[in-house]
């Protein structure tokens, strides 16, 4: 019995070790909705589906092509776990680029 305790003791993680708290070798949890965007003329729509267990706050950013056309950023929308959200935006004329940002 005493021999089993001596053999098991070195393999146990010390109290202050990062392995005891589960921080060091732990992989980051997957995060972020999968978003699809579509542009039709001066309008854009994005559908974001969150397959993960944590809420993802998504935001649509639209950059307009013309210098006088105002670029827009949508409000943040909470994509709850297993939920799909729809984001829309537009320019007066052509769209230069569109992207979606994510926040925990």
């Amino acid at each position: 019995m005493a021999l089993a305790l001596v053999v098991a003791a070195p393999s146990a993680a010390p109290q202050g070790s990062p392995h005891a708290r589960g921080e060091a070798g732990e992989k980051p949890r997957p995060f972020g909705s999968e978003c699809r965007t579509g542009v039709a003329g001066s309008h854009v729509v994005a559908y974001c589906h969150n397959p993960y267990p944590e809420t993802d706050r998504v935001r649509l950013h639209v950059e307009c092509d013309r210098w006088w056309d105002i670029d827009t950023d949508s409000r943040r929308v909470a994509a709850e776990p297993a939920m799909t959200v729809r984001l829309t935006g537009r320019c007066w004329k052509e769209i230069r680029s569109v992207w979606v940002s994510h926040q925990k």
Side-chain angles (χ1 to χ4, degrees):
M1 181 89 162
L3 182 59
L5 291 175
V6 172
V7 172
S11 65
Q15 193 64 296
S17 134
H19 294 291
R21 293 187 306 266
E23 295 173 2
E26 194 172 294
K27 291 183 181 179
R29 290 177 65 159
F31 174 78
S33 300
E34 297 172 11
C35 298
R36 295 183 320 270
T37 59
V39 176
S42 62
H43 295 270
V44 64
V45 64
Y47 291 96
C48 296
H49 176 72
N50 183 9
Y52 301 112
E54 294 177 357
T55 301
D56 182 11
R57 288 164 186 79
V58 292
R59 188 174 189 181
L60 178 66
H61 306 275
V62 180
E63 184 178 352
C64 301
D65 197 34
R66 307 287 176 117
W67 65 269
W68 48 263
D69 208 346
I70 299 172
D71 300 339
T72 59
D73 300 319
S74 73
R75 64 181 177 84
R76 292 206 183 276
V77 176
E80 301 290 334
M83 183 179 186
T84 300
V85 296
R86 182 178 185 257
L87 305 167
T88 61
R90 67 170 299 220
C91 292
W92 285 102
K93 292 284 187 174
E94 300 85 13
I95 293 174
R96 177 175 295 168
S97 63
V98 175
W99 68 96
V100 176
S101 61
H102 305 266
Q103 180 184 35
K104 282 190 175 187

